[in-house]
Amino acid sequence: MRVLLSGASGFVGRRLHRALLDRGDLVLGIDLNCTPLVKSGDALDFFRTDDRRWDLAIHCAAVVGGRASIDGSPLGVATNLALDSWYFRWLIRTGTPRAVYFSSSAAYPVALQQPGEIHRLVETDIDYEQPGRPDATYGLAKLAGEQLARYAEAAGCRVHVLRPFSGYGEDQDEAYPFPAFIRRARERQDPFEIWGDGSSTRDWIHIDDLVGATLAAVDQDATGPINVGWGRDASFDELAGLVTAAAGYRPELKHLPTAPQGVHHRVCDPKRMLDVYQPRVSLEEGIHRALAA
Protein backbone atom coordinates (compact mmCIF):
# COMPACT_ATOMS: atom_id res chain seq x y z
CA MET A 1 0.00 0.00 0.00
CA ARG A 2 0.92 3.64 -0.40
CA VAL A 3 0.81 5.03 3.14
CA LEU A 4 0.95 8.56 4.49
CA LEU A 5 2.28 8.59 8.07
CA SER A 6 2.20 11.83 10.06
CA GLY A 7 4.33 12.17 13.19
CA ALA A 8 6.67 9.56 11.74
CA SER A 9 9.60 10.42 14.04
CA GLY A 10 7.62 10.11 17.27
CA PHE A 11 7.52 7.17 19.65
CA VAL A 12 4.57 5.46 17.95
CA GLY A 13 5.26 6.84 14.47
CA ARG A 14 8.83 5.60 14.12
CA ARG A 15 7.86 2.06 15.19
CA LEU A 16 4.92 2.04 12.78
CA HIS A 17 7.17 3.40 10.02
CA ARG A 18 9.60 0.53 10.47
CA ALA A 19 6.82 -2.08 10.54
CA LEU A 20 5.18 -0.70 7.39
CA LEU A 21 8.48 -0.69 5.51
CA ASP A 22 9.25 -4.23 6.70
CA ARG A 23 6.00 -5.49 5.15
CA GLY A 24 6.74 -3.80 1.85
CA ASP A 25 4.49 -0.74 1.99
CA LEU A 26 5.54 2.50 0.32
CA VAL A 27 5.54 5.11 3.08
CA LEU A 28 5.80 8.89 3.12
CA GLY A 29 6.65 9.88 6.67
CA ILE A 30 6.38 13.52 7.71
CA ASP A 31 7.45 15.08 10.99
CA LEU A 32 8.87 18.33 12.35
CA ASN A 33 11.94 16.25 13.23
CA CYS A 34 13.34 14.90 9.97
CA THR A 35 15.49 11.77 9.63
CA PRO A 36 16.98 10.02 6.58
CA LEU A 37 13.61 8.25 6.18
CA VAL A 38 11.27 11.04 7.27
CA LYS A 39 10.48 14.21 5.35
CA SER A 40 10.70 17.41 7.40
CA GLY A 41 7.37 19.16 7.53
CA ASP A 42 4.48 20.40 9.63
CA ALA A 43 1.55 17.99 9.43
CA LEU A 44 -0.86 20.89 9.75
CA ASP A 45 0.61 22.55 6.63
CA PHE A 46 0.62 19.23 4.79
CA PHE A 47 -3.06 18.58 5.46
CA ARG A 48 -3.94 22.10 4.33
CA THR A 49 -2.03 22.04 1.04
CA ASP A 50 -1.28 18.52 -0.23
CA ASP A 51 -3.86 16.94 -2.54
CA ARG A 52 -2.31 13.54 -3.24
CA ARG A 53 -4.42 10.44 -2.67
CA TRP A 54 -3.05 7.55 -0.60
CA ASP A 55 -4.27 4.01 0.02
CA LEU A 56 -3.99 4.47 3.76
CA ALA A 57 -3.28 7.38 6.10
CA ILE A 58 -2.06 6.97 9.70
CA HIS A 59 -2.13 10.06 11.89
CA CYS A 60 0.43 10.04 14.72
CA ALA A 61 1.22 13.77 14.82
CA ALA A 62 0.16 15.24 18.17
CA VAL A 63 1.30 17.38 21.05
CA VAL A 64 2.05 14.99 23.92
CA GLY A 65 4.54 14.82 26.77
CA GLY A 66 3.21 12.88 29.74
CA ARG A 67 1.16 13.94 32.74
CA ALA A 68 3.14 17.10 33.42
CA SER A 69 2.40 18.37 29.90
CA ILE A 70 -1.28 17.42 30.05
CA ASP A 71 -1.79 19.23 33.35
CA GLY A 72 0.74 22.02 32.83
CA SER A 73 0.13 23.07 29.22
CA PRO A 74 -3.59 22.68 28.45
CA LEU A 75 -3.60 25.22 25.60
CA GLY A 76 -0.55 23.64 23.98
CA VAL A 77 -2.14 20.21 24.11
CA ALA A 78 -5.31 21.70 22.57
CA THR A 79 -3.29 22.20 19.36
CA ASN A 80 -4.31 18.59 18.67
CA LEU A 81 -7.81 19.87 17.86
CA ALA A 82 -6.43 21.74 14.85
CA LEU A 83 -4.23 18.85 13.73
CA ASP A 84 -7.08 16.38 13.87
CA SER A 85 -9.68 18.57 12.21
CA TRP A 86 -7.41 19.29 9.25
CA TYR A 87 -6.50 15.58 9.03
CA PHE A 88 -10.11 14.59 8.57
CA ARG A 89 -10.78 17.41 6.12
CA TRP A 90 -7.72 16.26 4.11
CA LEU A 91 -8.96 12.65 4.07
CA ILE A 92 -12.25 13.68 2.50
CA ARG A 93 -10.73 16.26 0.14
CA THR A 94 -8.26 13.74 -1.29
CA GLY A 95 -10.62 10.77 -1.33
CA THR A 96 -8.29 8.67 0.82
CA PRO A 97 -10.21 5.40 1.31
CA ARG A 98 -8.79 4.18 4.64
CA ALA A 99 -7.30 5.86 7.68
CA VAL A 100 -6.17 5.28 11.26
CA TYR A 101 -6.96 7.67 14.07
CA PHE A 102 -5.24 7.24 17.42
CA SER A 103 -7.61 8.30 20.13
CA SER A 104 -6.66 7.61 23.75
CA SER A 105 -7.86 6.09 27.00
CA ALA A 106 -7.93 9.74 28.15
CA ALA A 107 -11.15 10.13 26.14
CA TYR A 108 -13.04 8.01 28.70
CA PRO A 109 -15.07 9.79 31.40
CA VAL A 110 -12.93 10.54 34.45
CA ALA A 111 -15.95 9.63 36.61
CA LEU A 112 -15.30 5.97 35.71
CA GLN A 113 -11.65 6.13 36.80
CA GLN A 114 -11.88 7.10 40.45
CA PRO A 115 -10.61 5.41 43.67
CA GLY A 116 -12.41 2.31 44.78
CA GLU A 117 -13.35 -0.73 42.74
CA ILE A 118 -11.63 -0.84 39.36
CA HIS A 119 -13.95 -0.33 36.41
CA ARG A 120 -12.51 -1.95 33.29
CA LEU A 121 -13.27 0.53 30.57
CA VAL A 122 -15.21 -0.88 27.64
CA GLU A 123 -15.58 0.90 24.30
CA THR A 124 -19.29 1.60 24.88
CA ASP A 125 -18.44 3.57 28.04
CA ILE A 126 -18.11 6.54 25.69
CA ASP A 127 -21.62 7.51 24.65
CA TYR A 128 -21.25 10.05 21.86
CA GLU A 129 -24.63 11.58 22.74
CA GLN A 130 -23.67 12.04 26.42
CA PRO A 131 -19.93 11.32 26.59
CA GLY A 132 -19.08 12.58 30.08
CA ARG A 133 -16.03 14.66 30.96
CA PRO A 134 -12.77 13.27 29.51
CA ASP A 135 -9.29 13.74 31.00
CA ALA A 136 -8.21 17.38 30.53
CA THR A 137 -7.83 19.08 27.14
CA TYR A 138 -5.86 16.09 25.85
CA GLY A 139 -8.81 13.77 26.37
CA LEU A 140 -11.22 16.42 25.11
CA ALA A 141 -9.29 16.72 21.84
CA LYS A 142 -9.26 12.94 21.41
CA LEU A 143 -12.99 12.72 22.07
CA ALA A 144 -13.59 15.44 19.48
CA GLY A 145 -11.35 13.52 17.05
CA GLU A 146 -13.50 10.43 17.45
CA GLN A 147 -16.56 12.48 16.60
CA LEU A 148 -14.81 13.82 13.49
CA ALA A 149 -13.87 10.26 12.53
CA ARG A 150 -17.57 9.41 12.43
CA TYR A 151 -18.20 12.29 10.01
CA ALA A 152 -15.31 11.11 7.83
CA GLU A 153 -16.77 7.59 7.81
CA ALA A 154 -20.12 8.99 6.73
CA ALA A 155 -18.33 10.80 3.88
CA GLY A 156 -16.78 7.58 2.59
CA CYS A 157 -13.45 7.07 4.40
CA ARG A 158 -13.06 3.95 6.52
CA VAL A 159 -11.48 5.16 9.80
CA HIS A 160 -9.99 2.69 12.28
CA VAL A 161 -10.17 4.31 15.74
CA LEU A 162 -7.77 2.91 18.35
CA ARG A 163 -7.75 3.81 22.05
CA PRO A 164 -4.30 2.94 23.42
CA PHE A 165 -3.86 2.72 27.17
CA SER A 166 -0.43 3.23 28.78
CA GLY A 167 1.96 2.60 25.92
CA TYR A 168 5.62 2.10 26.78
CA GLY A 169 8.88 0.89 25.32
CA GLU A 170 12.64 0.96 25.63
CA ASP A 171 13.08 4.11 23.49
CA GLN A 172 10.33 6.25 25.02
CA ASP A 173 10.94 9.80 26.26
CA GLU A 174 11.56 10.09 30.01
CA ALA A 175 8.62 12.47 30.38
CA TYR A 176 6.58 9.27 30.75
CA PRO A 177 6.49 7.09 33.88
CA PHE A 178 7.85 3.82 32.49
CA PRO A 179 11.17 5.14 31.09
CA ALA A 180 11.57 7.37 34.15
CA PHE A 181 11.27 4.27 36.37
CA ILE A 182 13.78 2.40 34.19
CA ARG A 183 16.32 5.24 34.52
CA ARG A 184 15.92 5.36 38.31
CA ALA A 185 16.42 1.60 38.51
CA ARG A 186 19.54 1.73 36.31
CA GLU A 187 20.92 4.40 38.63
CA ARG A 188 19.86 2.25 41.61
CA GLN A 189 18.17 5.22 43.18
CA ASP A 190 17.24 4.72 46.82
CA PRO A 191 14.80 6.06 47.82
CA PHE A 192 12.87 5.46 44.60
CA GLU A 193 10.50 8.34 43.79
CA ILE A 194 6.90 7.75 42.70
CA TRP A 195 4.44 10.50 41.78
CA GLY A 196 1.28 10.25 43.86
CA ASP A 197 0.60 7.69 46.59
CA GLY A 198 1.58 4.71 44.44
CA SER A 199 -1.84 3.04 44.46
CA SER A 200 -3.05 4.41 41.10
CA THR A 201 -3.25 1.73 38.43
CA ARG A 202 -2.53 1.71 34.71
CA ASP A 203 -2.86 -0.82 31.89
CA TRP A 204 0.61 -1.09 30.31
CA ILE A 205 0.87 -2.05 26.63
CA HIS A 206 4.24 -2.46 24.89
CA ILE A 207 4.83 -0.43 21.73
CA ASP A 208 5.32 -3.65 19.71
CA ASP A 209 1.79 -4.73 20.64
CA LEU A 210 0.37 -1.28 19.94
CA VAL A 211 1.86 -1.45 16.44
CA GLY A 212 0.73 -5.05 15.99
CA ALA A 213 -2.84 -4.28 17.05
CA THR A 214 -2.96 -1.26 14.72
CA LEU A 215 -1.86 -3.19 11.65
CA ALA A 216 -4.15 -6.11 12.55
CA ALA A 217 -7.12 -3.74 12.79
CA VAL A 218 -6.28 -2.37 9.33
CA ASP A 219 -5.64 -5.78 7.76
CA GLN A 220 -8.82 -7.28 9.20
CA ASP A 221 -10.91 -4.17 8.56
CA ALA A 222 -11.96 -4.03 12.22
CA THR A 223 -14.72 -1.53 12.84
CA GLY A 224 -15.60 0.65 15.79
CA PRO A 225 -13.27 2.05 18.46
CA ILE A 226 -10.88 -0.58 19.84
CA ASN A 227 -9.14 -0.51 23.21
CA VAL A 228 -5.45 -1.41 23.03
CA GLY A 229 -4.30 -2.84 26.35
CA TRP A 230 -3.88 -6.05 28.34
CA GLY A 231 -6.68 -5.51 30.84
CA ARG A 232 -4.10 -5.94 33.63
CA ASP A 233 -4.20 -3.39 36.43
CA ALA A 234 -0.70 -2.62 37.71
CA SER A 235 -0.20 0.08 40.32
CA PHE A 236 2.77 2.42 40.25
CA ASP A 237 4.03 0.75 43.42
CA GLU A 238 3.80 -2.62 41.66
CA LEU A 239 5.60 -1.26 38.61
CA ALA A 240 8.37 0.12 40.82
CA GLY A 241 8.66 -3.25 42.55
CA LEU A 242 8.90 -5.14 39.25
CA VAL A 243 11.46 -2.71 37.80
CA THR A 244 13.72 -2.64 40.85
CA ALA A 245 13.53 -6.40 41.36
CA ALA A 246 14.55 -6.91 37.73
CA ALA A 247 17.43 -4.49 38.34
CA GLY A 248 18.51 -6.54 41.38
CA TYR A 249 17.78 -4.31 44.34
CA ARG A 250 14.95 -3.34 46.70
CA PRO A 251 14.88 0.37 47.55
CA GLU A 252 12.62 2.38 49.81
CA LEU A 253 9.66 3.84 47.88
CA LYS A 254 9.29 7.61 48.29
CA HIS A 255 5.86 8.92 47.31
CA LEU A 256 5.36 12.49 46.08
CA PRO A 257 1.68 13.22 46.81
CA THR A 258 1.71 16.73 45.33
CA ALA A 259 3.12 15.66 41.93
CA PRO A 260 0.74 15.30 38.94
CA GLN A 261 -0.80 11.83 38.89
CA GLY A 262 -3.96 11.90 36.78
CA VAL A 263 -6.95 9.62 37.33
CA HIS A 264 -6.76 6.83 39.89
CA HIS A 265 -7.60 3.75 37.82
CA ARG A 266 -7.23 3.43 34.04
CA VAL A 267 -7.62 -0.19 32.92
CA CYS A 268 -9.33 -1.56 29.81
CA ASP A 269 -11.56 -4.41 28.85
CA PRO A 270 -9.55 -5.79 25.87
CA LYS A 271 -12.18 -8.19 24.45
CA ARG A 272 -12.70 -6.28 21.21
CA MET A 273 -8.96 -6.09 20.54
CA LEU A 274 -8.56 -9.81 21.26
CA ASP A 275 -10.89 -10.55 18.34
CA VAL A 276 -8.18 -9.25 15.97
CA TYR A 277 -4.90 -9.36 17.91
CA GLN A 278 -3.30 -11.17 20.86
CA PRO A 279 -0.67 -9.11 22.72
CA ARG A 280 2.71 -10.79 23.08
CA VAL A 281 4.95 -8.64 25.29
CA SER A 282 4.10 -8.97 28.99
CA LEU A 283 4.96 -6.17 31.40
CA GLU A 284 7.75 -8.29 32.85
CA GLU A 285 9.23 -8.91 29.39
CA GLY A 286 8.93 -5.22 28.54
CA ILE A 287 10.84 -4.32 31.70
CA HIS A 288 13.56 -6.84 30.85
CA ARG A 289 13.92 -5.40 27.35
CA ALA A 290 14.13 -1.83 28.62
CA LEU A 291 16.75 -2.59 31.26
CA ALA A 292 18.82 -4.47 28.67
CA ALA A 293 18.62 -1.72 26.03
Side-chain angles (χ1 to χ4, degrees):
M1 291 188 293
R2 296 176 66 254
V3 184
L4 183 283
L5 176 63
S6 71
S9 294
F11 176 56
V12 176
R14 61 180 177 262
R15 294 296 193 101
L16 266 170
H17 198 178
R18 188 180 311 144
L20 290 164
L21 292 174
D22 286 346
R23 50 191 254 160
D25 293 322
L26 176 65
V27 185
L28 173 61
I30 56 172
D31 199 292
L32 290 173
N33 299 312
C34 65
T35 71
L37 291 176
V38 176
K39 176 183 176 181
S40 178
D42 187 328
L44 194 57
D45 291 339
F46 182 91
F47 295 142
R48 285 171 172 163
T49 61
D50 195 281
D51 289 326
R52 284 172 289 179
R53 186 180 189 273
W54 301 83
D55 300 315
L56 172 68
I58 304 179
H59 181 40
C60 296
V63 176
V64 291
R67 193 74 230 177
S69 176
I70 290 173
D71 289 348
S73 183
L75 289 176
V77 170
T79 301
N80 293 332
L81 287 164
L83 281 165
D84 294 349
S85 63
W86 278 100
Y87 172 60
F88 288 111
R89 293 176 69 177
W90 173 81
L91 290 173
I92 301 309
R93 188 179 78 243
T94 59
T96 299
R98 303 183 73 190
V100 170
Y101 177 67
F102 285 108
S103 182
S104 169
S105 54
Y108 281 106
V110 295
L112 299 178
Q113 303 171 68
Q114 298 304 309
E117 185 178 352
I118 295 174
H119 173 82
R120 281 176 168 72
L121 297 159
V122 65
E123 288 85 354
T124 52
D125 282 332
I126 294 181
D127 178 350
Y128 291 126
E129 300 302 320
Q130 295 181 322
R133 185 169 69 87
D135 187 359
T137 57
Y138 182 75
L140 182 65
K142 293 300 186 182
L143 180 60
E146 290 198 24
Q147 297 273 17
L148 295 175
R150 298 176 74 204
Y151 298 137
E153 279 258 342
C157 178
R158 164 73 79 191
V159 183
H160 304 282
V161 176
L162 301 169
R163 293 177 185 159
F165 277 66
S166 294
Y168 73 95
E170 46 272 22
D171 58 344
Q172 190 177 28
D173 188 274
E174 286 187 14
Y176 294 89
F178 182 90
F181 276 30
I182 293 296
R183 177 182 58 80
R184 290 169 197 161
R186 281 180 176 150
E187 296 172 355
R188 303 183 73 82
Q189 291 187 10
D190 189 359
F192 190 100
E193 292 187 349
I194 299 173
W195 289 10
D197 65 8
S199 65
S200 298
T201 61
R202 294 294 183 268
D203 190 341
W204 304 94
I205 183 79
H206 191 271
I207 184 62
D208 286 358
D209 285 322
L210 174 54
V211 169
T214 300
L215 297 181
V218 170
D219 292 343
Q220 299 178 44
D221 198 25
T223 59
I226 299 176
N227 287 335
V228 183
W230 276 81
R232 171 183 176 179
D233 53 291
S235 71
F236 286 99
D237 275 356
E238 181 183 354
L239 178 63
L242 290 171
V243 168
T244 54
Y249 80 119
R250 191 176 299 276
E252 173 192 353
L253 301 183
K254 179 182 179 181
H255 298 107
L256 305 178
T258 61
Q261 55 186 309
V263 296
H264 200 79
H265 296 302
R266 180 166 286 166
V267 185
C268 83
D269 180 332
K271 289 188 181 70
R272 187 172 290 180
M273 180 195 71
L274 295 176
D275 288 338
V276 297
Y277 180 79
Q278 298 284 332
R280 298 174 174 85
V281 184
S282 68
L283 181 56
E284 288 79 3
E285 171 63 18
I287 290 169
H288 173 76
R289 291 186 187 185
L291 286 171

